[in-house]
Amino acid sequence: EAGVTQFPSHSVIEKGQTVTLRCDPISGHDNLYWYRRVMGKEIKFLLHFVKESKQDESGMPNNRFLAERTGGTYSTLKVQPAELEDSGVYFCASSQDRVLQETQYFGPGTRLLVL
Amino acid sequence: AQSVTQPDIHITVSEGASLELRCNYSYGATPYLFWYVQSPGQGLQLLLKYFSGDTLVQGIKGFEAEFKRSQSSFNLRKPSVHWSDAAEYFCAVGLMDTGRRALTFGSGTRLQVQP
């Protein structure tokens, strides 16, 4: 069974540009999460999808970040326009069951550097 | 708000030595507790989790963790470290009584293993 995949693995962009990150969850997982780790800090929750609906977007930092999950399969996270402080590693995770005792399976992350 | 503290940013141990990584959490109720590991170039892999029941939890790769309610701790242990255990380790909590699925992570402990 394939795990959570993320694309690209690395992205280097200039301040003011737009970047779109993609996450493919484990097949059949309704729950999809985005997290990010800013350099040297802890991993922080961004948002949670259940199928195509945003269940919790309390961690989204500002309106420069837009997450979508059309069709309830893969998800994209767009940063527009990117700022220097957006640099970090963006992780995606997915889980299967609609119960609290689920395990979130993480992807390898996308390392974003904004210059 | 809940928080997770991993007081050791970096730990170095000799191969074959025992290991204990500390994790303390701040939360009013009993949380779900997790330990994840990230090896270079890899995603976050779940080592073990605690939801309820026996407070000593066994995980993969020979790791175990003990939940101590009185100390608000969930320390990770391994009796004999292997060179392949060199990685970054993250403690995380999920909240049982809110219905939210966001995990709160500590800042991580990087483990170096000396031959």
Side-chain angles (χ1 to χ4, degrees), chain B residues 40 48 54 85 94 114-115:
Chain B
L48 46 80
D54 192 346
D85 293 325
Q114 288 182 334

Side-chain angles (χ1 to χ4, degrees), chain A residues 5-16:
Chain A
T5 58
Q6 293 186 245
F7 182 84
S9 59
H10 294 77
S11 180
V12 181
I13 62 173
E14 294 188 350
K15 176 182 172 181

Side-chain angles (χ1 to χ4, degrees), chain A residues 31 33 35 37 40-45 48 56 58 91 95 97-109, chain B residues 32 34 36 38 41-44 46 49 51-52 88 90 95-97 99-108 110:
Chain A
N31 296 288
Y33 310 82
Y35 293 82
R37 188 184 192 196
K41 301 255 178 107
E42 64 272 19
I43 300 168
K44 286 199 170 180
F45 168 81
H48 167 214
D56 180 356
S58 60
F91 292 101
S95 68
D97 298 318
R98 297 181 66 92
V99 295
L100 289 176
Q101 294 184 8
E102 63 194 20
T103 294
Q104 295 183 23
Y105 297 91
F106 283 77
Chain B
Y32 297 133
F34 305 83
Y36 283 88
Q38 185 180 23
Q42 304 295 313
L44 293 167
L46 181 69
K49 59 188 177 184
F51 291 146
S52 63
E88 192 161 19
F90 297 92
L95 306 182
M96 294 178 66
D97 60 353
R100 291 185 66 232
R101 297 172 185 274
L103 297 180
T104 299
F105 284 85
S107 53
R110 186 170 295 278

Side-chain angles (χ1 to χ4, degrees), chain B residues 53-74:
Chain B
D54 192 346
T55 56
L56 185 61
V57 181
Q58 301 298 318
I60 62 171
K61 303 185 179 185
F63 285 92
E64 66 177 25
E66 186 172 12
F67 170 56
K68 293 185 177 180
R69 186 189 307 274
S70 61
Q71 299 176 19
S72 297
S73 69
F74 189 57

Side-chain angles (χ1 to χ4, degrees), chain A residues 4-113:
Chain A
V4 177
T5 58
Q6 293 186 245
F7 182 84
S9 59
H10 294 77
S11 180
V12 181
I13 62 173
E14 294 188 350
K15 176 182 172 181
Q17 290 185 320
T18 297
V19 63
T20 300
L21 313 181
R22 172 171 171 144
C23 169
D24 286 79
I26 294 171
S27 178
H29 282 195
D30 287 341
N31 296 288
L32 187 149
Y33 310 82
W34 284 98
Y35 293 82
R36 77 170 176 178
R37 188 184 192 196
V38 173
M39 185 70 69
K41 301 255 178 107
E42 64 272 19
I43 300 168
K44 286 199 170 180
F45 168 81
L46 295 178
L47 87 160
H48 167 214
F49 283 100
V50 177
K51 297 185 179 179
E52 67 276 6
S53 299
K54 293 177 185 175
Q55 187 75 14
D56 180 356
E57 51 184 328
S58 60
M60 293 290 266
N62 52 61
N63 58 10
R64 295 186 294 103
F65 289 76
L66 175 64
E68 295 181 322
R69 193 182 182 196
T70 307
T73 54
Y74 72 91
S75 174
T76 58
L77 180 64
K78 180 189 289 188
V79 185
Q80 179 182 29
E83 299 289 344
L84 300 179
E85 63 265 26
D86 300 331
S87 297
V89 182
Y90 289 76
F91 292 101
C92 176
S94 70
S95 68
Q96 184 174 24
D97 298 318
R98 297 181 66 92
V99 295
L100 289 176
Q101 294 184 8
E102 63 194 20
T103 294
Q104 295 183 23
Y105 297 91
F106 283 77
T110 293
R111 191 173 299 273
L112 174 65
L113 180 60

